Amino acid sequence: LLQLLTAVAALAGASCSLLAEGSGAGAVSGILPFTAGGFIYLGTVSVLPEILRNSGPAQAFLQLLALLAGVAMMLLIAYYE
């Protein structure tokens, strides 16, 4: 039941973003921070504990650097778009 709820929410979010695409830069600039925040939240809450639990310090550091590189790429894309 919860998976169905998340799937419906994903479809609702996709349809809202498609509808907001033609309404101008104001709508897109309001949606982008929420989308990026969702990805960062998922990365830090669900992935980071797994990284720290299942790997050694060197591997955890490399994976953390990769996570931060992903966040930096999102910032670069947002800046240059």
Side-chain angles (χ1 to χ4, degrees):
L1 184 62
L2 291 175
Q3 286 181 341
L4 177 65
L5 180 67
T6 57
V8 169
L11 286 175
S15 61
C16 285
S17 67
L18 289 174
L19 291 173
E21 183 179 355
S23 64
V28 174
S29 67
I31 293 172
L32 184 62
F34 288 108
T35 306
F39 282 116
I40 293 170
Y41 173 77
L42 287 175
T44 55
V45 169
S46 63
V47 175
L48 197 57
E50 283 290 322
I51 289 172
L52 296 175
R53 187 176 334 130
N54 294 332
S55 61
Q59 183 67 25
F61 181 71
L62 290 175
Q63 290 175 348
L64 182 62
L65 283 179
L67 180 71
L68 292 175
V71 171
M73 283 186 233
M74 284 192 282
L75 287 172
L76 286 172
I77 289 170
Y79 180 75
Y80 287 111
E81 186 177 300

